[in-house]
Amino acid sequence: TGRPISTGEWVEQAAKFLHLPTYHVEGSASDRREKLGQFPKAPVTVTDYATLSHTFSTKVKKGRSKSTKLVPDHDTLEAYGRLFDLVVLDEIHQLKNPTTLRYQMVRSLVSPIQYRIGLTGTMLDRHPEDAWAQMDLIDDGATFGRREDFIRYFFNERPAFYSKFSTEIFIKKEKKEEFRRRLRNRAIRITKNECPDVPTANFIEVKLSPPKDAIPHLKAAHERMKKAREEESFSNEFMFLRQLCSGLLRVKDEEINTTLRLSSSTKLNWLLGLLDELPKQEQVVVFYEFRESGAWIAEELKAKGHTYSLLTGGMQSREQEETLASWKRKRTRVLLSQTQMAAESLNLQQCAYLVQ
């Protein structure tokens, strides 16, 4: 699975639909490494990519420097893979980069396994080349061949969208249909109409204005971006603008590096108003991006008497599981989570509203 927090979901589903004992690799980081390193004690083993990386890798020195890096233990990974007949790679888009340790380890693990399945809701977005690594894990190159040949055949190069100092590849117009055809040959796409049990989702777009004291900073940021375009120099104000829209001001110079709260947050005020309007029994999932935003939202929820479960980076896996379980058992109304913590691999359909 993609994250340790999602292994419990797989254990529940395996018990419900497979009726087979499951070897759940859970607990602290050391507990998970120890369990995964043992001979599987059930027909189904459930683990996450991070545990795999820390269990079947070794440290080596980087050239002549004293620093080290993790490299795969390929022989042990292949030996471990021979214990299984089937592998399911959940959120396989997390393995889209063939240069990463995660991909290289999974590549060795699956090589002796005959049956392979990859699952994802977002195989690729604006980068079709992401498909190569994912399909290679499933069929050993039967769909797209070697990566070098795949890139040369399907793509051309152009200046990068976000920077004039680098390049990116883009798919050739005349090759788009062949790309889709090859992908369809090995991939099964499940549409919304084929999932009658999934509740209908209604998307509501809300337009909000920034707080007044953010406007001077927004104007200054736009001026910096305009000047950078005129001088053909690099300017990255995107994160700064996003924080301003959340009521946060990043202050960074040679002496200070901190994030301040503005007088108010339009997003936060709207959220609190929404929670007051909704029926008390309806649960809500709220995603936030910045740590400061999460702390601010949590403070206001507590002050207003709303019960919430907070998922944030840095939590131990056991604490993550207990936090999620508290919300799923309806002991709390709001699940407040950093986007990367709960955006994948979790069944959160019991919520009535999701706020992003």
Side-chain angles (χ1 to χ4, degrees):
T1 69
R3 292 183 174 276
I5 193 175
S6 63
T7 56
E9 300 279 355
W10 274 92
V11 171
E12 291 179 10
Q13 297 301 312
K16 182 177 180 180
F17 295 103
L18 297 180
H19 307 292
L20 290 172
T22 302
Y23 186 42
H24 188 189
V25 180
E26 59 179 338
S28 65
S30 58
D31 290 339
R32 286 184 279 117
R33 284 196 294 270
E34 182 180 354
K35 289 181 179 179
L36 189 59
Q38 297 173 356
F39 190 86
K41 298 180 180 179
V44 179
T45 296
V46 179
T47 190
D48 61 280
Y49 296 131
T51 302
L52 181 74
S53 298
H54 287 90
T55 304
F56 298 112
S57 63
T58 57
K59 288 184 178 181
V60 298
K61 288 186 176 181
K62 291 183 179 180
R64 298 180 180 180
S65 67
K66 294 182 180 180
S67 60
T68 60
K69 65 177 181 178
L70 290 173
V71 297
D73 185 345
H74 294 292
D75 292 339
T76 304
L77 281 162
E78 291 182 15
Y80 192 75
R82 293 189 189 97
L83 300 175
F84 302 96
D85 301 309
L86 165 71
V87 61
V88 179
L89 303 174
D90 192 22
E91 306 295 355
I92 195 174
H93 65 272
Q94 293 189 14
L95 306 170
K96 64 186 179 183
N97 186 346
T99 65
T100 62
L101 172 69
R102 176 175 292 185
Y103 170 87
Q104 293 167 9
M105 299 197 70
V106 173
R107 190 70 190 83
S108 293
L109 175 73
V110 304
S111 59
I113 302 178
Q114 182 177 4
Y115 302 103
R116 311 171 197 172
I117 297 174
L119 303 175
T120 180
T122 52
M123 186 177 189
L124 51 95
D125 42 30
R126 59 185 293 269
H127 298 290
E129 68 269 24
D130 292 346
W132 181 86
Q134 298 169 66
M135 296 306 299
D136 186 63
L137 290 171
I138 299 302
D139 62 18
D140 294 329
T143 298
F144 290 126
R146 297 189 312 159
R147 180 169 175 79
E148 296 81 5
D149 298 332
F150 167 75
I151 297 296
R152 189 182 308 111
Y153 184 76
F154 283 103
F155 298 91
N156 283 327
E157 194 175 81
R158 67 181 174 191
F161 181 78
Y162 290 107
S163 171
K164 295 183 179 180
F165 302 99
S166 59
T167 59
E168 64 182 0
I169 58 174
F170 66 100
I171 193 165
K172 301 173 183 176
K173 290 183 178 180
E174 67 273 18
K175 298 296 183 182
K176 285 185 177 181
E177 183 53 39
E178 181 180 352
F179 177 85
R180 296 190 186 100
R181 177 173 53 79
R182 288 206 203 179
L183 202 57
R184 285 197 298 267
N185 183 50
R186 297 277 175 171
I188 300 174
R189 183 176 183 179
I190 302 175
T191 65
K192 181 174 64 176
N193 295 333
E194 296 175 280
C195 305
D197 296 334
V198 177
T200 301
N202 296 314
F203 298 93
I204 303 172
E205 183 176 339
V206 179
K207 295 184 179 180
L208 302 172
S209 300
K212 291 183 178 180
D213 49 351
I215 294 176
H217 301 289
L218 289 169
K219 291 181 177 179
H222 283 293
E223 286 299 319
R224 289 194 296 269
M225 294 171 68
K226 180 181 178 181
K227 183 178 179 180
R229 284 195 296 269
E230 292 173 350
E231 298 177 353
E232 296 187 356
S233 59
F234 178 75
S235 175
N236 184 8
E237 301 289 337
F238 179 67
M239 195 63 66
F240 179 75
L241 292 171
R242 287 188 64 187
Q243 288 177 316
L244 279 173
C245 291
S246 298
L248 301 171
L249 174 63
R250 185 184 64 197
V251 180
K252 184 177 181 181
D253 57 27
E254 295 179 356
E255 299 180 355
I256 302 174
N257 185 3
T258 187
T259 302
L260 305 176
R261 295 179 186 177
L262 298 178
S263 60
S264 65
S265 169
T266 311
K267 288 183 178 180
L268 179 54
N269 293 336
W270 175 85
L271 172 63
L272 296 173
L274 174 68
L275 293 175
D276 289 337
E277 293 175 6
L278 297 179
K280 299 298 182 183
Q281 70 274 15
E282 291 188 343
Q283 290 185 286
V284 181
V285 174
V286 178
F287 285 127
Y288 68 92
E289 193 68 25
F290 307 108
R291 184 178 301 175
E292 296 83 359
S293 295
W296 197 355
I297 297 171
E299 289 177 17
E300 292 297 323
L301 290 177
K302 185 177 180 180
K304 298 292 184 180
H306 298 292
T307 58
Y308 65 91
S309 297
L310 176 62
L311 278 176
T312 185
M315 299 173 67
Q316 296 293 325
S317 59
R318 177 71 70 182
E319 187 180 1
Q320 294 175 11
E321 294 169 4
E322 292 174 352
T323 299
L324 182 61
S326 180
W327 179 81
K328 294 183 72 173
R329 292 167 185 163
K330 299 189 176 182
R331 295 173 182 169
T332 56
R333 184 188 183 197
V334 179
L335 177 62
L336 180 58
S337 173
Q338 279 187 304
T339 305
Q340 66 270 26
M341 292 293 296
E344 300 175 347
S345 305
L346 297 180
N347 295 323
L348 305 177
Q349 291 91 337
Q350 72 184 52
C351 75
Y353 290 85
L354 186 150
V355 181
Q356 291 180 294

